[in-house]
Amino acid sequence: MESHAEPVEVEPMPGYLDLICRASTVMLGAWRNCAECGLELSRRTFLDNAFINWTEIALFLFCAYLWTQVRQGLTESLFKPLARWCTLLPKDAAKMPESAWKLVFYSMSWSYSSYLLFFTSYSFFHDPPSVFYNWKSGMPVPIDIAIAYLIQGSFYGHSIYATLYMDAWRKDSAVMVVHHIITLALISFSYAFRYHNVGILVLFLHDINDIQLEFTKLNVYLKSRGGGYYLLNDVLSNMGSVSFSITWFWFRLYWFPLKVMFATCVSSLQSVPNIPFYFFFNSLLFALLLMNIYWFLFIVVFVVKVLKMNGVNDVREYEDEDSSKAAAAAAAANLLDIDDDDDDAGHHNSAQG
């Protein structure tokens, strides 16, 4: 099975209504035409089109283990001593290493995704349908994209373990575990089925928010270090929260559906009429979109509280404290402790991964 579509003039990005109408029409037509859809066809399609070897699986497991060890090493040798040196409040000192670690990782991963999309010959961002140009089953994965997949896939493997056993447990942590599993599934299957071009785009659109999120949280912790008040960190935390809110909508709720999901729902069948696991991958991407909307509801609450209280507070933490502590925390603790580790693939992302 191979794509026969040649590169054409870049199609303008659709609007929401165009996406809904065209995607629903195309998907409904694909469903009606799939007379053989079922477990047997899925089994044959999987065996015929999934390409991943034991060396790649071993590398994934090794790197997931390596991320865990690197995080533990940085936490004990750098992040915890830094928290003590800054004399953070106990509740902030307990959370600071997690945010510092994620800021380091996502800054690195997003920078690499940006490099691939804007400083190489890949045109996936400006021309999303091009992710399926010249697609064929079992096609080789370019080494630069394969490196990005190894980094991201192993990190999300590590993140499932970290959310359960290393991170502070929050009221949306269960959703986070589901998010990591879906993202890892998108990354793994999109690599095996050679939808890696889509995955890079999904990872790029999701990782930027994590940088802003962790930057903001660190400044929230730092602004009250030593029991004092530091204006610079307060200003930076508010600037970060505003930037985070805007880019969450722009990248995850605007560009993600209109660039990625339009390409996977509509353009994919134009380039590859019998593309493998069309409904499966689009279902995972739709689940990722729903989670982005779910977290956006937290962000709306965050914006309302900031406007009312003139401070970055937390909608997920301190719910177990007594009323007097909760009242104080409502004005000074972290509303923006809303974690998402996207995309897919990817993502992260997508066909993120």
Side-chain angles (χ1 to χ4, degrees):
M1 188 184 307
E2 183 173 347
S3 167
H4 299 289
E6 295 299 327
V8 295
E9 183 179 349
V10 176
E11 182 179 354
M13 191 172 70
Y16 289 112
L17 184 59
D18 192 22
L19 168 66
I20 294 171
C21 293
R22 293 181 65 180
S24 59
T25 300
V26 170
M27 295 187 81
L28 183 59
W31 180 258
R32 288 174 175 171
N33 293 332
C34 191
E36 297 183 5
C37 286
L39 292 178
E40 177 58 27
L41 177 62
S42 298
R43 186 187 70 83
R44 293 201 312 267
T45 303
F46 182 87
L47 294 176
D48 292 342
N49 295 279
F51 292 87
I52 193 166
N53 58 53
W54 287 108
T55 300
E56 292 166 332
I57 294 174
L59 278 173
F60 160 78
L61 294 174
F62 172 75
C63 289
Y65 172 78
L66 189 62
W67 286 127
T68 304
Q69 297 305 308
V70 170
R71 174 176 175 173
Q72 289 178 339
L74 287 175
T75 296
E76 296 301 326
S77 64
L78 179 60
F79 300 146
K80 284 185 176 180
L82 183 60
R84 289 193 295 268
W85 182 77
C86 292
T87 60
L88 298 182
L89 299 177
K91 59 180 172 54
D92 295 334
K95 295 177 293 183
M96 179 269 193
E98 175 188 341
S99 290
W101 160 249
K102 291 178 180 178
L103 179 62
V104 169
F105 175 81
Y106 285 115
S107 296
M108 174 194 69
S109 63
W110 188 75
S111 297
Y112 187 57
S113 297
S114 300
Y115 162 76
L116 291 177
L117 290 174
F118 298 104
F119 298 96
T120 66
S121 60
Y122 301 126
S123 60
F124 310 142
F125 181 81
H126 300 293
D127 184 19
S130 68
V131 297
F132 293 107
Y133 292 163
N134 303 314
W135 180 93
K136 62 181 179 180
S137 179
M139 62 190 291
V141 180
I143 187 63
D144 50 3
I145 293 181
I147 290 172
Y149 259 73
L150 178 60
I151 291 171
Q152 292 275 2
S154 60
F155 179 78
Y156 280 104
H158 149 79
S159 294
I160 295 172
Y161 172 84
T163 302
L164 292 172
Y165 301 108
M166 299 177 71
D167 297 344
W169 189 259
R170 303 177 177 89
K171 65 184 180 183
D172 75 336
S173 291
V175 178
M176 287 301 307
V177 173
V178 175
H179 167 272
H180 296 333
I181 292 173
I182 290 177
T183 302
L184 183 58
L186 280 166
I187 291 174
S188 302
F189 282 100
S190 66
Y191 180 86
F193 285 90
R194 299 308 189 248
Y195 300 144
H196 45 274
N197 295 341
V198 185
I200 291 300
L201 187 53
V202 174
L203 292 170
F204 165 78
L205 293 176
H206 283 71
D207 283 354
I208 185 173
N209 298 120
D210 296 285
I211 298 173
Q212 297 165 320
L213 172 62
E214 304 307 337
F215 173 82
T216 301
K217 287 160 64 175
L218 286 173
N219 278 283
V220 170
Y221 304 151
L222 290 169
K223 73 179 181 181
S224 57
R225 61 188 184 274
Y229 170 75
Y230 293 84
L231 177 62
L232 176 60
N233 297 113
D234 193 15
V235 171
L236 289 174
S237 68
N238 283 294
M239 290 175 60
S241 66
V242 171
S243 174
F244 171 79
S245 304
I246 294 172
T247 56
W248 185 283
F249 175 82
W250 197 260
F251 279 67
R252 297 189 178 211
L253 301 183
Y254 181 65
W255 274 341
F256 175 62
L258 299 185
K259 283 182 176 289
V260 173
M261 298 196 70
F262 185 83
T264 60
C265 292
V266 179
S267 305
S268 60
L269 289 180
Q270 294 173 345
S271 295
V272 192
N274 295 312
I275 193 166
F277 284 103
Y278 171 80
F279 293 105
F280 173 74
F281 281 109
N282 279 298
S283 296
L284 289 180
L285 288 172
F286 183 70
L288 189 59
L289 177 62
L290 289 180
M291 283 187 286
N292 288 339
I293 295 172
Y294 168 82
W295 276 302
F296 189 66
L297 298 179
F298 278 102
I299 297 172
V300 171
V301 174
F302 150 69
V303 171
V304 171
K305 285 189 177 268
V306 167
L307 291 176
K308 288 182 177 180
M309 301 179 183
N310 294 321
V312 179
N313 301 313
D314 186 9
V315 296
R316 301 196 314 171
E317 298 182 0
Y318 309 107
E319 61 263 30
D320 295 328
E321 298 181 6
D322 60 56
S323 58
S324 61
K325 290 182 179 179
N334 322 328
L335 170 83
L336 201 58
D337 219 2
I338 308 167
D339 271 318
D340 156 79
D341 282 2
D342 296 267
D343 196 310
D344 140 53
H347 303 131
H348 292 28
N349 305 348
S350 74
Q352 199 165 341

